[in-house]
Amino acid sequence: MTDTPHHRDVPRRAVLRTAAATTAFAVTQGSAYADTGHRAPTRIGALNDQSAVRTLTLGDTRLTYIVDGAMELDPEGFLPAVPAAYWRQHPEALTRSGRVAASAGGLLVERGGRRLLIDAGLGGNALPAALGVSRAGALLRTLRELRVPPESIDTVAFTHLHTDHTGLGFVAGDREPRKAFPRARYLVAGAEWEPFWRREVEVGAPSWDGFMVPMSRVLRRFDDGAEVWPGVTALVTPGHSPGHTTYVISASGGRRILVFGDAFHTPAQLTRPEWPSGPDVDVDAVLRARRTLLNRLLMPRTHAFAFHFGDQAFGRVVREDTGAVRWQPAPARKRLPAPFRLS
């Protein structure tokens, strides 16, 4: 796929000016995360780059983005509600090929000797050409390089059942697919499971034989508000999918981190929540979910994890003097480079 016209029109000097401004912003904002123990501005990646494998520690809880692969979303195909003028004004939000960097993977949560994995990446799946390009399948390798055996993960919880979040939930077995994490409980919201199981959802649905059928044999369903793991509560935020779920992780010292899945695909949607994403199944519900999430994200000592925010997966949502909100990326320790790149 070639550069989109609206990106080619951006002068190189404008891109350089924006990159310099972004670097300066990261340096000035590094101290805002003093309570995490991560101050170095070099620990903030670029929005238009694929995510490295990064770790953020909040109190007694360690969170690591286990990157599975790289995706680049077509701005017009995946985010049709975002005006072309926005991308021209924000060249730092696009890769060199004029797309949106959006890694896929799972969030590893470690505390008290236990391990939870939220989502399982893209695996052998691929984005439809109309939505972008992708290359993935590194999640299990990434875990091995971090010396995290799949058998050590006791719970796998899914934000939703799209292919870029379920890809390595199961792997090929002798006769049928088997769990990639053999000792783990597999959890999904009942409101998410039922419509997919009835085949009422086509957009983004995972393989029937490769995921849905084996999942039907092992899944445990939960409702809104359930504690799915010690200190981790489910907040069902439908709209992107029927039972899309945000996970609220409580850490020591009154800290929280919201893992909001695909409620937002780009930081622009935090500022302009009325801009839905192309695959959203219920736009009105997405807007309600985003209002709920923004109210929570703006609370003190609240952090967030975004699967698809380039190399800025960890951060906070802050309100400016003008009343507008924006994404403030967090310094997070780089453990491994991005396993794949597309541009």
Side-chain angles (χ1 to χ4, degrees):
M1 192 174 293
T2 58
D3 290 358
T4 54
H6 56 261
H7 186 52
R8 288 199 301 268
D9 291 342
V10 178
R12 179 174 175 78
R13 282 177 295 178
V15 175
L16 294 175
R17 284 196 303 270
T18 303
T22 302
T23 300
F25 171 78
V27 172
T28 59
Q29 294 297 322
S31 62
Y33 276 84
D35 66 332
T36 69
H38 300 298
R39 289 174 176 270
T42 56
R43 292 180 176 178
I44 296 178
L47 181 60
N48 64 353
D49 198 4
Q50 295 297 326
S51 184
V53 176
R54 294 184 182 272
T55 291
L56 179 69
T57 300
L58 296 176
D60 61 352
T61 304
R62 183 167 66 177
L63 307 125
T64 304
Y65 191 12
I66 309 298
V67 180
D68 174 54
M71 301 191 300
E72 287 191 3
L73 309 178
D74 182 79
E76 296 173 352
F78 201 97
L79 299 162
V82 181
Y86 175 83
W87 304 116
R88 290 195 296 269
Q89 294 162 8
H90 297 276
E92 79 283 359
L94 297 177
T95 67
R96 289 177 294 178
S97 59
R99 304 186 190 96
V100 177
S103 297
L107 179 66
L108 180 66
V109 184
E110 297 177 279
R111 182 172 56 220
R114 296 188 59 179
R115 287 170 169 157
L116 159 71
L117 184 69
I118 299 176
D119 288 348
L122 183 66
N125 301 308
L127 283 178
L131 299 182
V133 294
S134 60
R135 184 183 175 196
L139 188 140
L140 294 177
R141 186 181 78 221
T142 300
L143 285 169
R144 285 197 300 271
E145 292 183 18
L146 294 174
R147 298 183 180 180
V148 176
E151 296 81 5
S152 70
I153 294 171
D154 61 68
T155 304
V156 176
F158 295 96
T159 60
H160 60 298
L161 298 181
H162 284 170
T163 55
D164 58 320
H165 293 259
T166 59
L168 280 164
F170 296 87
V171 295
D174 293 337
R175 296 183 178 180
E176 58 188 22
R178 58 180 176 80
K179 292 195 298 184
F181 307 96
R183 297 180 181 175
R185 302 176 304 149
Y186 276 37
L187 310 179
V188 68
E192 179 77 353
W193 175 258
E194 292 302 332
F196 277 90
W197 185 242
R198 294 193 298 263
R199 300 197 181 193
E200 295 172 0
V201 182
E202 296 181 3
V203 176
S207 164
W208 185 258
D209 292 326
F211 182 88
M212 292 299 293
V213 171
M215 182 69 170
S216 71
R217 300 182 181 124
V218 301
L219 88 159
R220 299 188 184 187
R221 284 167 278 196
F222 58 79
D223 295 324
D224 183 37
E227 184 177 56
V228 299
W229 198 76
V232 179
T233 303
L235 173 64
V236 177
T237 46
H240 179 63
S241 63
H244 179 278
T245 302
T246 295
Y247 293 102
V248 183
I249 302 170
S250 298
S252 62
R255 301 176 180 90
R256 290 175 299 276
I257 184 163
L258 271 63
V259 182
F260 54 64
D262 281 4
F264 303 93
H265 284 95
T266 173
Q269 293 170 324
L270 293 164
T271 305
R272 299 295 299 270
E274 71 273 18
W275 289 347
S277 300
D280 293 342
V281 298
D282 186 337
V283 171
D284 290 339
V286 165
L287 297 179
R288 291 193 295 271
R290 288 179 178 176
R291 285 194 291 268
T292 296
L293 288 171
L294 285 170
N295 286 336
R296 292 194 176 215
L297 288 165
L298 287 165
M299 295 175 65
R301 306 182 78 74
T302 299
H303 309 252
F305 173 81
F307 284 96
H308 303 314
F309 282 20
D311 196 14
Q312 298 183 351
F314 294 101
R316 285 177 174 159
V317 177
V318 298
R319 189 181 297 278
E320 298 179 327
D321 293 340
T322 61
V325 300
R326 61 171 171 80
W327 182 245
Q328 178 181 295
R333 182 163 65 98
K334 182 177 178 179
R335 307 280 298 279
L336 296 168
F340 300 112
R341 294 187 182 279
L342 299 170
S343 39

